[in-house]
C-alpha cells in the first residue's frame, strides 16, 4: 500500500513548515524529502488566501517569441528559475497543506503535453511515483522499478517524460523504448515526438534536423554536405 500521508493541518490555517512530513514510505521504498523553505512566501500558492482555491496550477511559460523579446537579463532569470525547479523541485500549498514536487514531477506537470489532452493534472499517485523514482535513481545497486497499476493510469506519459528529461539533460546517453510489439513502441515514440515539438526552445537540445523523426530523436549537430 502507498502511504499518502502528507501531515495534518487545521483547515482554517496553512500548514506550518515544521508539520511537513519528510520521511515517507512508498510501498517498499523509504524516501526522504527536503524541508520546505524557511520563508513561507517562497512556497507557491502562498498568496492564495482561500484554501479551497489552493491547488496545483502550472506556471505560464512564455512562447519562444515572447522569451526572445524579453530583455536578456529577464530571459536568463526566467530560464534559471525553471532550471532550478527542474533540478530541485518545488513546494506548493494544496488546500492548506504543503506538497513537494520532485524536479522530474515539476517538469512533467509543466512541460509534458499529451496529444488531445494537454498538460497532466496533479495526482497523489503520480506524486508518490516520482518520490519512489527519485530513490530508484539514487540507488546505484538498483536496476529499475516494477510499477504495477490499473490500465489508463498514465504510466506511458510519466515514463516518456522521464525518458526525455534524462536524455535532454545528459551527454552521450541512449534512451530506448521497449514494448510488446514494434508497432506499439512506435506509437509510444510518436507521443515522445509530439511532446518534444511542444517544448520551449531552452529545453530542446540541438537535434539532427529531422522535424518529424520516425524512429529516433537524435540530439546532435545536423550533418553538413561538402561541395
Amino acid at each position: 500500500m502507498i502511504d499518502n500521508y502528507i501531515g495534518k493541518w487545521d483547515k482554517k490555517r496553512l500548514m506550518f513548515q515544521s508539520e511537513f512530513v519528510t520521511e515517507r514510505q512508498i510501498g517498499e521504498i523509504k524516501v526522504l524529502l527536503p524541508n520546505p523553505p524557511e520563508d513561507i512566501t517562497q512556497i507557491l500558492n502562498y498568496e492564495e488566501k482561500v484554501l479551497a482555491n489552493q491547488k496545483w496550477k502550472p506556471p505560464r511559460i512564455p512562447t519562444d517569441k515572447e522569451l526572445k523579446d524579453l530583455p536578456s537579463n529577464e530571459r536568463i532569470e526566467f530560464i534559471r528559475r525553471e532550471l532550478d525547479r527542474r533540478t530541485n523541485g518545488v513546494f506548493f500549498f494544496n488546500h492548506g497543506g504543503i506538497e513537494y514536487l520532485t524536479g522530474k514531477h515539476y517538469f512533467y506537470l509543466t512541460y509534458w503535453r499529451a496529444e488531445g489532452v494537454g498538460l497532466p493534472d496533479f495526482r497523489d499517485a503520480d506524486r508518490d511515483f516520482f518520490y519512489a523514482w527519485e530513490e530508484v535513481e539514487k540507488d546505484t545497486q538498483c536496476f529499475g522499478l516494477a510499477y504495477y497499476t490499473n490500465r489508463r493510469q498514465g504510466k506511458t506519459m510519466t515514463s516518456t517524460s522521464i525518458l526525455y528529461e534524462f536524455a535532454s539533460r545528459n551527454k552521450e546517453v541512449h534512451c530506448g523504448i521497449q514494448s510488446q510489439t514494434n508497432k506499439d513502441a512506435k506509437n509510444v515514440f510518436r507521443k515522445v515526438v509530439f511532446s518534444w515539438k511542444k517544448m520551449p526552445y531552452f529545453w530542446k537540445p540541438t537535434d539532427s534536423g529531422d522535424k518529424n523523426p520516425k524512429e529516433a530523436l537524435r540530439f546532435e549537430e545536423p550533418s553538413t554536405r561538402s561541395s
Side-chain angles (χ1 to χ4, degrees), residues 107-108 111-115 118-120 156-157 160-161 164 188-200 203-204 217:
F107 181 85
Y108 171 70
Y111 295 101
W112 201 244
R113 297 180 181 274
E115 189 172 5
L119 293 173
T156 299
M157 197 166 177
T160 51
S161 172
Y164 180 88
V188 173
F189 179 69
R190 181 179 56 80
K191 296 177 181 179
V192 173
V193 171
F194 176 86
S195 297
W196 163 68
K197 289 181 177 180
K198 298 295 183 180
M199 285 285 155
W203 289 158
K204 295 172 76 172
L217 181 56

Side-chain angles (χ1 to χ4, degrees), residues 9 26 32-33 36 40 53-54 59-60 81 102 121 131 140 148 157 161 166 170 182 191 194 200 210:
W9 67 90
I26 311 298
L32 181 63
L33 306 179
I40 199 170
N53 294 336
Q54 286 184 346
R60 182 185 179 277
R81 186 198 78 176
T102 68
D121 295 324
Y131 287 170
T140 58
Y148 298 94
M157 197 166 177
S161 172
F166 182 85
N170 292 279
N182 286 339
K191 296 177 181 179
F194 176 86
D210 187 349

Side-chain angles (χ1 to χ4, degrees), residues 126-186:
D126 289 339
R127 175 201 63 199
D128 291 344
F129 165 77
F130 279 100
Y131 287 170
W133 184 256
E134 198 83 354
E135 295 302 315
V136 167
E137 287 198 335
K138 291 177 184 177
D139 188 349
T140 58
Q141 301 301 311
C142 179
F143 289 92
L145 174 68
Y147 184 44
Y148 298 94
T149 72
N150 296 325
R151 288 180 56 80
R152 313 300 297 177
Q153 187 71 23
K155 296 185 292 297
T156 299
M157 197 166 177
T158 53
S159 58
T160 51
S161 172
I162 289 172
L163 179 145
Y164 180 88
E165 197 281 331
F166 182 85
S168 62
R169 181 170 45 85
N170 292 279
K171 295 181 179 180
E172 299 180 359
V173 297
H174 293 81
C175 297
I177 295 170
Q178 182 180 9
S179 191
Q180 55 187 352
T181 66
N182 286 339
K183 181 180 178 181
D184 291 331
K186 287 182 178 180

